[in-house]
Amino acid sequence: MGLPGTIWYLVVFLPRILYTLFCSMKKIGRFILIFLFLILIPAMAYFVMESSGASVNTPQEKVIYNLPYPGILSDHPLYFVKIIRDRLTEFLTRDNVKKAQLYLLYSDKRVAMAMTLAKKGKSQPAIEAFSKGEKYFLKIPDLLRAAKEQGGPAPSSFVETLKLSNAKHTELIGELMKTLPEGNQSGINGLLKLNLEIKKLLETLP
């Protein structure tokens, strides 16, 4: 390419190259501004809140644990039939680990029943059902200790399931605190006390 051709190339294409570079610089500048806005400003705001002693609320994750279907509720006329069946099954279950598993089922069902009753606006029956569920749960640690002494300890996976269930119950008590009307705080405090006692007992299990 001769000198005239080179000059023509520069005259035609150099402005385009410079314009492209200019536009690229503008895009980079915009990117930097967006970066500063999205990263630095929230970070500075968080720092200011921390320095002033303000708390930052973060949503708690839900406990992944499915409760069983509660079946007939305590407000049903035939509920007594369910009670008789449960007690008969409990009496016939002699193995400690199997009885512990049965009590977990009964406990979770009572908690599911409590949540259903609460949605129906039946506060006191809901608290009573939840309390019965936690009392079933309280029987489980002693059964597992007895099973271990007899040489038939429960699998570690079952202990982890118990801890998950207890955590789910804690979460649902929190939901009751939000949904039940005022005047039920004493009953809810009783549930919290039972739930905490269960948690401490589970921590002692191997």
Side-chain angles (χ1 to χ4, degrees), residues 37-163:
F37 182 78
L38 294 178
I39 303 299
L40 294 183
I41 292 178
M44 291 174 64
Y46 180 82
F47 177 77
V48 171
M49 292 178 69
E50 285 291 307
S51 300
S52 63
S55 60
V56 179
N57 294 324
T58 56
Q60 294 183 346
E61 294 185 1
K62 294 284 186 179
V63 178
I64 302 176
Y65 182 84
N66 296 322
L67 295 176
Y69 179 69
I72 297 177
L73 302 181
S74 58
D75 59 351
H76 194 279
L78 296 178
Y79 181 68
F80 73 94
V81 177
K82 179 178 180 178
I83 295 297
I84 295 173
R85 182 205 63 187
D86 287 353
R87 290 179 179 175
L88 181 61
T89 305
E90 178 184 354
F91 176 77
L92 294 176
T93 304
R94 314 307 293 178
D95 181 80
N96 285 324
V97 174
K98 290 182 179 179
K99 182 166 284 191
Q101 293 170 341
L102 181 66
Y103 283 159
L104 175 61
L105 176 64
Y106 286 176
S107 177
D108 284 342
K109 279 194 169 188
R110 294 309 189 279
V111 170
M113 180 188 302
M115 302 310 293
T116 304
L117 290 168
K119 290 179 181 178
K120 295 173 67 175
K122 299 186 176 183
S123 303
Q124 191 57 37
I127 292 175
E128 290 175 358
F130 210 123
S131 179
K132 289 178 181 178
E134 296 299 81
K135 288 175 181 177
Y136 269 121
F137 211 131
L138 274 174
K139 299 178 181 181
I140 295 176
D142 286 341
L143 287 171
L144 296 185
R145 291 191 188 92
K148 184 178 180 181
E149 291 174 358
Q150 295 171 4
S156 58
S157 59
F158 179 61
V159 177
E160 292 303 316
T161 300
L162 292 173
K163 292 179 180 179

Side-chain angles (χ1 to χ4, degrees), residues 173-188:
I173 293 173
E175 290 187 14
L176 288 181
M177 293 176 66
K178 298 176 183 178
T179 57
L180 293 185
E182 295 182 4
N184 295 287
Q185 192 59 45
S186 176
I188 292 175

